Amino acid sequence: MPDASRRRLLASLACVAAGVIHGSYGRAFGMSRETSEHLDLLWEYLGFMANAIVFLLVGFTVDVGVLLDEAWPVLVAIVAVLAVRTAIVWLMTPRAGGHGVPAWKERTMLTWSGLRGALTIALALALPTNTPHRSQIIAMAFGVVLFTLVVQGLSLPRLLRLLGFGRVDRVGTVRLKAGR
């Protein structure tokens, strides 16, 4: 590995190490609880802004006509994502069911709440322009994200109520029942 590449790699690893140390040790010993809460709120806000920018860029780049033209591949992608998510959740959570909640309820909630968003679209948009079927891949990614945010996102509070996880207020915040 050339010397310049090695220095860039070491600098990147040093930044990662500094972030890990600051995130664990710095939070525990270097800041008050109030400062930690403010920092969490700041990062949540910055994440929201980054998501908003990505979705704004998607609005500029995704043609609804292409989405409609690619309806079949989009539908296949949605079904595939849901099937894989279901398989992973149901196979990888054999010990679900703590706190007296039946395991199938937790697994159903985990399966349906697997929302996708900005990262999926950003990865699709990052494909080189000469990638074969790029517009189809972008349409599929956008269709999956649109489905998860609109259909799954809007139906999640009702599903949580049906499964008995607690009550959902007007804003969509779930208030878990006592003991959970």
Side-chain angles (χ1 to χ4, degrees), residues 33-51:
R33 186 176 57 91
E34 183 180 349
T35 302
S36 180
E37 289 172 5
H38 285 298
L39 189 60
D40 289 341
L41 289 173
L42 171 69
W43 281 112
E44 186 176 335
Y45 177 75
L46 291 174
F48 174 77
M49 291 304 297
N51 266 332

Side-chain angles (χ1 to χ4, degrees), residues 58 61-71 73-75 77-78 120-121 124-125 127 133-147:
V58 167
T61 58
V62 173
D63 182 10
V64 177
V66 172
L67 188 62
L68 295 174
D69 291 344
E70 301 292 347
V74 168
L75 184 61
I78 290 169
T120 303
I121 293 174
L125 291 173
L127 291 172
H133 308 290
R134 182 178 187 268
S135 64
Q136 184 180 42
I137 293 169
I138 292 172
M140 290 167 67
F142 183 69
V144 167
V145 170
L146 190 63
F147 176 83

